[in-house]
Amino acid sequence: MNFLLLCMQSSVCVACVYTVKKLGIISFRDFDSKDAKAWFPISVLLVGVIYTGSKSLQFLSIPVYTIFKNLTIILIAYGEVIWFGGRVTALTLVSFILMVISSIIAAWADISDALVAGDPAVAEAANGLSTMSGVISKMNVGYFWMFLNCATSAAYVLTMRKRIKVTGFSDWDTMFYNNLLSIPVLAVASIVAENWGYENLSLNFPPETRNFLLFAIAFSGAAAVGISYTTAWCIRATSSTTYSMVGALNKLPVAASGMIFFGDPVTFGSVTAVAVGFFAGLVYAVAKNNQKKAEQASQAGIIPMANRSS
């Protein structure tokens, strides 16, 4: 019940920041219906991202999903070119390609296994579909949902940046409205799309661990204040592309720590994937630094026109 979980976390998140505001520690705008109307499409897009992502994972394996998810970075980069007059240099494009290659290397062994039994589409075909056409049709459905997920994710991040510019929201404003307006959308999505039967609720909230689970959800909702705030900060201060690149890069320390501390298998493929991914991050950093220097040099070369007064 992903929608219900996120709805509960958003509720805790809003309650936390509102309490801190009342204590006078932080400040942000009071609720305004005009601002809410401007921000509401972003909350709808967030639900679209969650739903299309979950549908994709019903038909595609996680490695395949990750590869296509990283392709979203390229969509966002060229979306910034169209919406914000951004520029994609050759070195920036190389960093995107390296990130996708890193995902392909990491997924190669898993994809090979998935083709045998691991992929949900193939597993279902093995049980009921005896022809290859059935397997292909199932995977095509997965790719359709994956395409929608990439498009929705790009639209979500780009629209958020555009709304921040239009509304002049501070980071706390963005965080407050994003979570507050998500609550009714997530609640409706949960009621419509998720199973609220007694058995399913008991499965998701087992009586023996229910109190601890609710505490964990509340704690994660409070921790999400930091995630929501820094997300808004990153998108406002840098760009949608940089935010998405960081989102892809932050998986690499997790993968590396899994091999170092938690006994994940250390293979040539896994080590190479992490190394290529980190290299992609370095290339992106160099590309953005070079782009910034070029912009500063071009601005320095512009001679301002002096105002003449008669």
Side-chain angles (χ1 to χ4, degrees), residues 125 128-136:
L129 302 173
S130 57
T131 63
M132 183 59 70
S133 61
V135 177
I136 294 172

Side-chain angles (χ1 to χ4, degrees), residues 20-256:
V20 175
K21 180 187 177 182
K22 286 296 183 183
L23 294 173
I25 299 173
I26 63 171
S27 64
F28 53 84
R29 302 183 192 187
D30 292 326
F31 181 81
D32 181 79
S33 58
K34 185 178 178 181
D35 289 335
K37 288 178 182 178
W39 200 263
F40 188 72
I42 298 172
S43 300
V44 176
L45 284 171
L46 173 62
V47 175
V49 171
I50 299 166
Y51 183 73
T52 55
S54 63
K55 293 296 289 185
S56 301
L57 288 170
Q58 287 183 17
F59 302 99
L60 299 175
S61 64
I62 291 175
V64 174
Y65 174 85
T66 304
I67 291 171
F68 280 94
K69 193 69 176 174
N70 283 347
L71 290 174
T72 309
I73 300 170
I74 301 175
L75 285 178
I76 292 171
Y78 283 99
E80 286 202 315
V81 171
I82 297 169
W83 278 17
F84 304 105
R87 191 162 59 93
V88 178
T89 64
L91 198 58
T92 305
L93 188 59
V94 168
S95 70
F96 297 158
I97 294 170
L98 285 171
M99 181 56 68
V100 174
I101 290 173
S102 170
S103 300
I104 293 173
I105 294 172
W108 188 255
D110 292 328
I111 293 171
S112 300
D113 294 338
L115 291 175
V116 178
D119 193 292
V122 179
E124 186 173 337
N127 292 330
L129 302 173
S130 57
T131 63
M132 183 59 70
S133 61
V135 177
I136 294 172
S137 66
K138 282 292 179 183
M139 294 191 75
N140 284 343
V141 172
Y143 291 131
F144 168 75
W145 284 112
M146 191 69 246
F147 171 77
L148 286 181
N149 180 256
C150 291
T152 310
S153 299
Y156 171 70
V157 176
L158 290 167
T159 306
M160 182 185 289
R161 187 183 178 200
K162 193 172 184 68
R163 290 300 182 191
I164 289 173
K165 287 181 174 291
V166 170
T167 57
F169 273 7
S170 69
D171 299 328
W172 285 117
D173 292 329
T174 301
M175 179 261 155
F176 175 69
Y177 273 90
N178 208 26
N179 283 278
L180 179 66
L181 296 178
S182 294
I183 294 171
V185 180
L186 289 166
V188 171
S190 177
I191 293 169
V192 172
E194 294 177 338
N195 180 8
W196 278 73
Y198 177 78
E199 291 184 2
N200 195 47
L201 285 173
S202 298
L203 181 66
N204 282 277
F205 299 96
E208 60 273 13
T209 59
R210 185 171 296 164
N211 290 335
F212 176 77
L213 182 59
L214 291 173
F215 169 78
I217 292 171
F219 180 82
S220 65
V225 172
I227 297 173
S228 297
Y229 179 80
T230 51
T231 294
W233 187 4
C234 183
I235 292 175
R236 177 186 58 79
T238 57
S239 68
S240 304
T241 307
T242 299
Y243 167 73
S244 301
M245 193 67 175
V246 171
L249 287 170
N250 67 18
K251 299 177 183 67
L252 301 175
V254 175

